[in-house]
Amino acid sequence: MSARNTPTQYGWITKSLHWIIAIGLWAMFFFGKYISNLELGPDNYHLIPRHKAFGMLLLALITIRILWRVTNPPPAALPAKPMEHLLAKLVHTVLYVLMLATPFFGWIGSSATGFSIPFFGLFDIPLIWGEDEKVADLFLMLHGYAAMAMTALATMHILAALYRHLIIRDETLRRMVR
Amino acid sequence: MRILFTLLICLFASNVTAAPVKYTVDTQNTDVNFTYTFGGKDIIGAFNDYDINVAVDFQALQNSTVSVTLKTKTATGGFVFGTQAMRSKKILSAKAFPEITFQSKSVTGAGDTATINGDITVRGITKPLTLTAQLFRPRGSDVNERDNLFIKIIGTLDRFDFGADGYPKEVAPDLRINILAAIQKQ
């Protein structure tokens, strides 16, 4: 299997990044929902820096994925109705924007709380905003909304892939799996 | 580890000086702690830079004075994020308000405990605060030892009274002050 994409197939790097990020984003969504409903105390506060560390890891992977996509274009889309192509392109574009925006909003909001962002105990991620309660509240709220929008679009993306696989019966899903 | 003699010094003991005796703090043997409740559990924080001045009149306790200055930038909250929260704008706002000060206005004695009424200033807001204090002499020291003593000062303040109102769901309002200071006659 080629590392790079070909005109008809995804390479293993694209596929790996796709599935690792997909699993990571869904896991982080439920992780975030879980900790946002917790009554924080000494036994569970560490989950918040853990969420941030995984979020920063995902942001790094998403950045790599975008750079990889720019330098290594994906195979051409399989035949479909023009409206389906348009819709797919729109969903993909907004998904990429939200995949970047969601952790980035979290990074700004978290920085503005004044708390450090330890990366799994190895080092601290730089804070990109000074301590400011209003900025923290705003961007952590945007972080939550962006995460919800992203999972809604990811759900559409999954349903569309299943539609192509089960109804249209083309190679759209298979070529991201095989 | 300091060793405390368990008997309280009688504040009105005989063979003592007439004027208030001024003491300075031995920082090597002093703990300036506070306890707060986070998520239902008690956490111990500390101030690592402080200035404590004590003057004790063993014959007329009302002439005694206590002043305490705590450097908020050295506050610790028991764990990394507790420390960051403690120094943040939501609690002590250490950059804007580098000191917490307490100045006694009256000292009275009852039984083995002295009651210190004074003013405390936190985040630029001054409110009255009552502390209680006990004096101890080191274990094995002479019964008339006055040069090297320990003073224990405790009290409770409501952080919301001073605008230190961050994290109201997670952190309880009360901060329990607990100072155990080794003091030496000047």
Side-chain angles (χ1 to χ4, degrees):
Chain A
M1 184 192 297
S2 169
R4 296 181 66 84
N5 299 331
T6 70
T8 56
Q9 287 295 325
Y10 290 106
W12 66 263
I13 292 178
T14 298
K15 287 186 211 174
S16 301
L17 286 169
H18 173 270
W19 290 111
I20 290 169
I21 289 170
I23 292 167
L25 289 175
W26 279 103
M28 285 294 282
F29 176 73
F30 289 111
F31 189 15
K33 292 292 284 182
Y34 173 71
I35 60 176
S36 66
N37 293 319
L38 274 181
E39 282 190 25
L40 286 176
D43 300 331
N44 58 20
Y45 77 89
H46 65 277
L47 293 175
I48 292 178
R50 195 65 52 85
H51 177 80
K52 294 177 186 178
F54 276 116
M56 296 307 294
L57 182 61
L58 272 174
L59 180 58
L61 288 173
I62 291 159
T63 304
I64 291 168
R65 185 176 177 190
I66 290 171
L67 292 173
W68 181 250
R69 186 184 170 101
V70 168
T71 58
N72 190 226
L78 295 172
K81 295 172 186 170
M83 183 55 74
E84 290 174 352
H85 276 309
L86 185 67
L87 198 58
K89 187 160 187 159
L90 182 67
V91 168
H92 286 146
T93 303
V94 178
L95 258 179
Y96 273 105
V97 170
L98 288 173
M99 280 194 294
L100 277 177
T102 304
F104 201 66
F105 288 161
W107 190 4
I108 295 172
S110 182
S111 297
T113 64
F115 288 109
S116 59
I117 308 173
F119 189 76
F120 302 109
L122 299 174
F123 57 89
D124 282 354
I125 301 287
L127 304 183
I128 55 173
W129 205 285
E131 187 185 346
D132 187 322
E133 188 176 353
K134 286 181 181 172
V135 171
D137 290 346
L138 172 65
F139 276 89
L140 291 177
M141 182 185 72
L142 289 174
H143 173 67
Y145 285 137
M148 284 191 280
M150 183 170 57
T151 48
L153 282 177
T155 303
M156 287 176 63
H157 176 70
I158 292 167
L159 291 174
L162 290 174
Y163 165 75
R164 299 293 290 257
H165 185 69
L166 299 173
I167 309 296
I168 305 299
R169 294 180 179 275
D170 68 7
E171 290 290 305
T172 301
L173 181 59
R174 281 194 200 92
R175 66 181 185 172
M176 187 50 90
V177 175
R178 281 199 304 222
Chain B
M1 185 70 186
R2 73 185 53 76
I3 302 170
L4 289 179
F5 190 63
T6 52
L7 291 177
L8 177 76
I9 285 177
C10 174
L11 293 173
F12 297 97
S14 58
N15 300 325
V16 292
T17 55
V21 179
K22 292 183 178 178
Y23 291 91
T24 55
V25 166
D26 169 13
T27 55
Q28 296 297 313
N29 293 298
T30 294
D31 287 325
V32 180
N33 294 337
F34 60 91
T35 304
Y36 65 100
T37 305
F38 170 44
K41 293 191 176 177
D42 284 350
I43 306 287
I44 296 175
F47 289 91
N48 296 303
D49 189 8
Y50 45 79
D51 188 26
I52 300 171
N53 290 292
V54 178
V56 182
D57 187 329
F58 290 93
Q59 289 186 313
L61 191 60
Q62 67 273 16
N63 294 331
S64 302
T65 59
V66 175
S67 69
V68 179
T69 301
L70 308 174
K71 308 293 184 184
T72 54
K73 285 180 184 174
T74 69
T76 56
F79 57 103
V80 172
F81 296 106
T83 296
Q84 291 172 355
M86 197 58 66
R87 297 177 188 176
S88 74
K89 290 177 183 174
K90 288 186 170 184
I91 307 288
L92 295 180
S93 194
K95 281 184 185 168
F97 303 102
E99 290 183 346
I100 293 171
T101 59
F102 174 82
Q103 179 61 55
S104 65
K105 294 173 78 174
S106 72
V107 178
T108 55
D112 61 359
T113 303
T115 299
I116 306 168
N117 291 301
D119 287 336
I120 188 167
T121 302
V122 181
R123 293 171 58 106
I125 298 171
T126 301
K127 301 261 183 185
L129 180 69
T130 299
L131 301 172
T132 56
Q134 291 177 302
L135 278 175
F136 302 86
R137 60 183 173 83
R139 183 196 298 271
S141 62
D142 186 86
V143 70
N144 290 319
E145 170 66 40
R146 296 291 182 272
D147 292 350
N148 294 287
L149 299 171
F150 288 95
I151 185 168
K152 182 178 182 182
I153 302 172
I154 60 172
T156 300
L157 61 86
D158 184 331
R159 66 193 181 94
F160 288 92
D161 289 344
F162 302 90
D165 54 4
Y167 316 103
K169 288 182 189 170
E170 295 86 2
V171 180
D174 287 352
L175 292 177
R176 282 100 73 197
I177 300 159
N178 188 358
I179 298 173
L180 183 55
I183 54 175
Q184 296 170 336
K185 185 179 176 183
Q186 285 184 357

